[in-house]
Amino acid sequence: MMEHPVEWLSAYLDDEIDEKTRIQVRDHLESCESCAETLRELAEIQALTASFYGAIEPPPELEQSVRQAIGRKLPPRAWFRSALALALADAVCLAMVWQLFGGLVWILWKSAYKISIAAAYLVSDGIGSSPSLYAWAVGLALILIFLSGISLRRLLRSETE
Amino acid sequence: MDEELHGYVMEARRGNPDAFTELVRRFQGPVFRYAYGMLGDRQEAEDAAQETFIKAYRSLSGLGSDYAFASWIMKIANHACVDRLNRRKKERQAVRDVPSETADKTDRNAEWRTALTEAMESLSAEHRQVVLLHDVQGYRYEEIADFLRIPLGTVKSRLNAARLALRNEWKKGEA
């Protein structure tokens, strides 16, 4: 006869045991009152646990609190999807505009490019000829870089919140 | 998994908050019961359940398959509970709460309920996990092994040891 199969009792109770061992445990239980009693107690504990915890109801406000919390946060997937849709719409609009006014836009763009190059030479000559104006321009550039940094940081922070 | 549930999971993954609310409605019971069993405290269980659903909503894109939602949400709940238990251990706070259902001594079942919750609290977190997953959530041994990433033999021995410990604590309570 099998030794007291205490380590198999739970699996026997749950029917999670191979056939050969199940028969051995069953035969042992028929002749061992101590193991049969342990099995009865385990079954009772299992039933009590299932009935007690199974009857626990979640608080009624849980659903509402989750709803409120997720209402403030779009899932990344949805955000990505809307951003992608926006980018695609932009690309389509741009292609249509280019199809209709491409030639004109190209002429305007070339003219604007030439004018801006000439203006850049003119401004750099002007700034270079006066040291005080040069210092002002450098200072202004530094201030603009600093302000851009701050605004970029704020923008990134508001995105992550 | 029924098709209706599958539809809600797909809609929620597309970013529909109403579909996700439906999923919360359907899974708040199992998630809360598991959290309550693990933490033994209603307020903490509510916080853990809320945290579970918010995490799930924010990481729906990480869900491998729409059909795996039930075990996926329970895994998030399990992580939330284990994190809280670890924090509790670190803070060395002996949190013990008698739930409102068990506090009423005029209830003739109050004594065994108190004895049961106390016996559950005496178990290790690993033992509580297997008892709750099997006896309350209805998982099979193989599913528990997959859920906790432990061998099948460990599930068997852990559940057996957990139930024997529960029985011993229960008997102490009765004595």
Side-chain angles (χ1 to χ4, degrees):
Chain A
M1 193 172 92
M2 192 183 206
E3 288 284 310
H4 294 297
V6 181
E7 74 275 18
W8 290 108
L9 289 181
S10 256
Y12 179 81
L13 185 67
D14 299 329
D15 198 20
E16 294 264 11
I17 199 168
D18 65 85
E19 188 58 15
K20 188 183 162 201
T21 317
R22 193 187 69 77
I23 292 166
Q24 285 177 330
V25 174
R26 187 198 62 193
D27 291 347
H28 179 90
L29 288 168
E30 280 172 6
S31 58
C32 179
E33 184 48 37
S34 160
C35 284
E37 176 62 15
T38 304
L39 185 70
R40 273 195 295 277
E41 287 169 350
L42 291 182
E44 189 188 6
I45 281 289
Q46 186 197 29
L48 287 174
T49 307
S51 88
F52 174 68
Y53 287 99
I56 299 274
E57 287 296 327
E61 64 273 15
L62 176 62
E63 186 188 318
Q64 186 58 29
S65 62
V66 171
R67 198 181 166 85
Q68 279 173 355
I70 64 171
R72 295 193 296 268
K73 296 174 181 105
L74 267 179
R77 204 181 159 83
W79 175 86
F80 175 74
R81 206 188 302 276
S82 58
L84 192 69
L86 199 66
L88 279 173
D90 284 351
V92 169
C93 284
L94 208 64
M96 284 170 71
V97 168
W98 186 257
Q99 188 68 29
L100 289 171
F101 307 108
L104 184 64
V105 170
W106 181 242
I107 291 165
L108 285 173
W109 170 258
K110 271 168 72 177
S111 308
Y113 178 73
K114 280 178 185 169
I115 291 167
S116 64
I117 293 288
Y121 275 119
L122 210 66
V123 168
S124 66
D125 279 351
I127 290 171
S129 62
S130 164
S132 63
L133 203 61
Y134 184 75
W136 273 104
V138 169
L140 191 65
L142 287 173
I143 289 168
L144 280 174
I145 290 168
F146 180 70
L147 289 175
S148 304
I150 289 175
S151 87
L152 186 67
R153 202 177 153 190
R154 277 193 180 178
L155 193 70
L156 288 173
R157 193 177 292 167
S158 64
E159 280 291 321
T160 53
E161 277 173 2
Chain B
M1 186 183 190
D2 62 84
E3 281 309 308
E4 197 183 16
L5 181 58
H6 181 223
Y8 285 127
V9 174
M10 282 207 306
E11 276 300 306
R13 290 184 77 174
R14 288 190 186 119
N16 181 346
D18 292 331
F20 190 77
T21 305
E22 181 57 34
L23 293 174
V24 173
R25 203 169 291 141
R26 287 180 178 224
F27 286 92
Q28 62 178 341
V31 166
F32 181 76
R33 275 189 278 280
Y34 184 78
Y36 179 69
M38 286 296 286
L39 301 166
D41 178 274
R42 279 194 79 86
Q43 186 55 54
E44 259 204 290
E46 186 180 342
D47 292 345
Q50 189 181 357
E51 183 188 325
T52 299
F53 287 115
I54 293 169
K55 266 188 188 166
Y57 188 69
R58 294 172 80 178
S59 53
L60 270 169
S61 56
L63 173 60
S65 156
D66 290 346
Y67 289 96
F69 185 82
S71 64
W72 180 71
I73 195 89
M74 289 307 294
K75 277 181 190 167
I76 298 176
N78 183 51
H79 283 142
C81 292
V82 170
D83 283 350
R84 279 166 190 273
L85 288 171
N86 288 338
R87 279 207 295 274
R88 193 190 282 181
K89 206 186 283 177
K90 275 182 191 165
E91 289 163 8
R92 294 182 182 283
Q93 284 177 348
V95 178
R96 173 167 279 210
D97 174 62
V98 177
S100 56
E101 293 95 328
T102 67
D104 183 6
K105 292 288 179 188
T106 58
D107 185 343
R108 65 194 176 92
N109 291 324
E111 272 185 37
W112 72 257
R113 287 174 176 172
T114 308
L116 183 67
T117 48
E118 284 179 355
M120 277 291 275
E121 284 174 33
S122 73
L123 298 184
S124 68
E126 286 81 10
H127 283 173
R128 278 203 298 274
Q129 279 174 331
V130 287
V131 169
L132 292 167
L133 287 172
H134 187 275
D135 295 348
V136 184
Q137 305 291 341
Y139 282 49
R140 302 284 297 172
Y141 283 20
E142 212 172 302
E143 291 171 318
I144 298 174
D146 183 52
F147 185 97
L148 296 174
R149 293 171 189 267
I150 54 176
L152 191 61
T154 308
V155 175
K156 280 183 189 174
S157 57
R158 204 176 274 184
L159 187 56
N160 195 57
R163 282 194 186 139
L164 288 171
L166 261 182
R167 182 198 65 148
N168 293 341
E169 285 299 318
W170 173 261
K171 279 184 150 183
K172 266 193 232 168
E174 277 188 329

